[in-house]
């Protein structure tokens, strides 16, 4: 009797309608769109890669989509070690190490100040904090070109124009509005009871920040690192204006290589140098893309 009852209940729970179609018109259309979009974005990358692996004798034939007949990595070695940027023929590696020296302190300082400012504006709201936050956000939407001449005059007067300190300060200043927005919204989304409990336990401004808020900020710190690394690494304008000749970042060096007017246009070397310049942002996105989504979902756009 029990077995019959179980069989009847199992039969009642089984779906009785028609099976859903695996391929519908909507799904086919979605797949077609995704394939076209992927081809649209990946085709230039394919052309760059195959061109960078061809000798110039094949490139002159004009078959940009064909695979190399004689594969070579010589353009990559030349782009890294001996490509000329003006009178200097040290390759793109000079700009790479300059970009690293610019990137590391700029990312650390801008994220730390942004986290501290967002923490103060969200949990220690003083009189006028909303006005200060509005002023900071205004700086994120004004064109950068508006600030270049005043900053050049200020940096020249204090002696940091054309130095590593000048370019680091510039990236820190212009990264502060976005970093403050991210951390303020993230801290505002946290339960206020945690902050109040820390105050009751005798925690002060710095103790709560370092012992409570920063350990809980891993998701949004990852988002901030991704945004700052890609933004600072891809920067050209600030690098060419504020870095000085001895500290030109990789993007400026790439421009000098590609736009060189000396001798033959080496398209394979130019393509290899372009890919080398884009490697760091690509690696950051591929490695930490899922963490970026998690950080956004954890409160980066709440508030």
């Amino acid at each position: 009797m029990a077995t019959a009852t179980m069989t009847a209940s199992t039969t009642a729970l089984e779906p009785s309608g028609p099976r859903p179609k695996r391929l519908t018109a909507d799904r086919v259309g979605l797949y077609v769109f995704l394939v076209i979009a992927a081809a649209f974005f990946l085709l230039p990358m394919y052309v760059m890669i195959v061109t960078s692996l061809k000798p110039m004798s094949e490139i002159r034939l004009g078959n940009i989509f064909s695979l190399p007949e004689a594969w070579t990595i010589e353009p990559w070695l030349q782009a890294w070690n001996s490509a000329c940027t003006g009178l200097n023929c040290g390759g793109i590696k000079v700009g790479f190490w300059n970009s690293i020296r610019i990137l590391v302190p700029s990312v650390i300082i801008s994220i730390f100040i942004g986290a501290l400012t967002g923490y103060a504006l969200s949990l220690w709201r003083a009189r006028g904090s909303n006005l200060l936050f509005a002023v900071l956000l205004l700086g994120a939407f004004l064109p950068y070109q508006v600030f270049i001449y005043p900053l050049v005059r200020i940096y020249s007067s204090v002696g940091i124009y054309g130095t590593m300190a000048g370019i680091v300060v510039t990236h820190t200043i212009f990264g502060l509005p976005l970093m403050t927005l991210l951390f303020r919204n993230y801290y505002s989304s946290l339960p206020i009871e945690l902050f109040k409990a820390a105050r009751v336990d005798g925690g002060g401004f710095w103790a709560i920040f370092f012992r409570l808020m920063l350990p809980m900020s891993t998701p949004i710190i990852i988002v901030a690192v991704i945004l700052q690394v890609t933004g600072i690494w891809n920067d050209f304008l600030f690098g060419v204006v504020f870095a000085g000749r001895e500290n030109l970042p990789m993007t400026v060096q790439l421009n000098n290589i590609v736009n060189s007017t000396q001798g033959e246009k080496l398209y394979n070397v130019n393509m290899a140098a372009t890919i080398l310049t884009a490697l760091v942002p690509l690696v950051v996105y591929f490695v930490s893309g899922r963490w970026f989504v998690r950080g956004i979902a954890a409160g980066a756009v709440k508030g």
Side-chain angles (χ1 to χ4, degrees):
M1 185 68 179
T3 304
T5 304
M6 292 179 61
T7 304
S9 62
T10 304
T11 304
L13 293 175
E14 291 180 355
S16 57
R19 290 185 178 183
K21 296 180 180 180
R22 293 186 177 181
L23 286 179
T24 62
D26 294 341
R27 183 167 294 184
V28 171
L30 177 62
Y31 288 156
V32 171
F33 170 77
L34 292 176
V35 170
I36 295 175
F40 177 80
F41 287 104
L42 292 178
L43 189 60
M45 177 62 70
Y46 166 80
V47 173
M48 291 172 62
I49 293 175
V50 297
T51 302
S52 68
L53 297 171
K54 292 179 182 179
M56 283 301 300
S57 58
E58 291 187 32
I59 295 176
R60 295 190 191 98
L61 299 177
N63 299 322
I64 62 174
F65 296 107
S66 63
L67 292 173
E69 296 180 4
W71 296 77
T72 176
I73 62 170
E74 182 61 31
W76 291 74
L77 299 177
Q78 185 176 346
W80 181 257
N81 292 313
S82 59
C84 294
T85 58
L87 299 178
N88 182 15
C89 292
I92 201 86
K93 65 180 179 182
V94 178
F96 174 81
W97 295 115
N98 285 341
S99 293
I100 293 293
R101 291 164 55 212
I102 294 170
L103 179 71
V104 173
S106 300
V107 169
I108 295 175
I109 296 173
S110 62
I111 290 178
F112 176 77
I113 297 178
L116 186 63
T117 308
Y119 161 68
L121 291 176
S122 60
L123 299 176
W124 296 80
R125 296 185 178 180
R127 180 176 299 177
S129 60
N130 290 332
L131 177 60
L132 175 61
F133 181 62
V135 172
L136 283 173
L137 287 185
L138 182 64
F141 296 102
L142 290 176
Y144 292 162
Q145 292 82 353
V146 174
F147 301 98
I148 288 181
Y149 181 70
L151 285 178
V152 169
R153 296 300 301 268
I154 294 172
Y155 289 175
S156 298
S157 63
V158 298
I160 63 172
Y161 177 70
T163 65
M164 183 62 66
I167 186 66
V168 170
V169 169
T170 303
H171 283 302
T172 301
I173 292 173
F174 286 97
L176 188 58
L178 178 57
M179 294 299 101
T180 301
L181 174 64
L182 288 177
F183 282 96
R184 178 186 179 275
N185 289 346
Y186 180 78
Y187 291 141
S188 297
S189 69
L190 296 178
I192 192 64
E193 290 78 13
L194 294 174
F195 173 72
K196 293 180 178 179
R199 290 292 306 276
V200 171
D201 291 339
F205 182 89
W206 295 105
I208 296 176
F209 178 67
F210 283 109
R211 296 184 182 181
L212 180 63
M213 293 301 162
L214 275 187
M216 298 176 61
S217 304
T218 301
I220 198 62
I221 288 176
I222 294 174
V223 174
V225 168
I226 295 173
L227 292 176
Q228 284 297 87
V229 167
T230 54
I232 294 173
W233 188 271
N234 292 329
D235 168 69
F236 176 84
L237 179 62
F238 293 151
V240 76
V241 174
F242 297 106
R245 291 186 177 181
E246 301 300 324
N247 306 307
L248 292 177
M250 207 172 185
T251 50
V252 180
Q253 296 277 12
L254 173 65
N255 176 75
N256 294 340
I257 291 175
V258 173
N259 293 322
S260 176
T261 57
Q262 300 177 357
E264 182 185 17
K265 204 77 166 178
L266 301 177
Y267 294 103
N268 49 2
V269 176
N270 293 345
M271 294 298 180
T274 302
I275 297 173
L276 287 170
T277 304
L279 275 182
V280 170
L282 286 175
V283 169
V284 169
Y285 273 119
F286 281 125
V287 171
S288 55
R290 59 173 184 166
W291 297 105
F292 182 84
V293 176
R294 289 183 183 180
I296 291 293
V301 294
K302 298 177 182 178

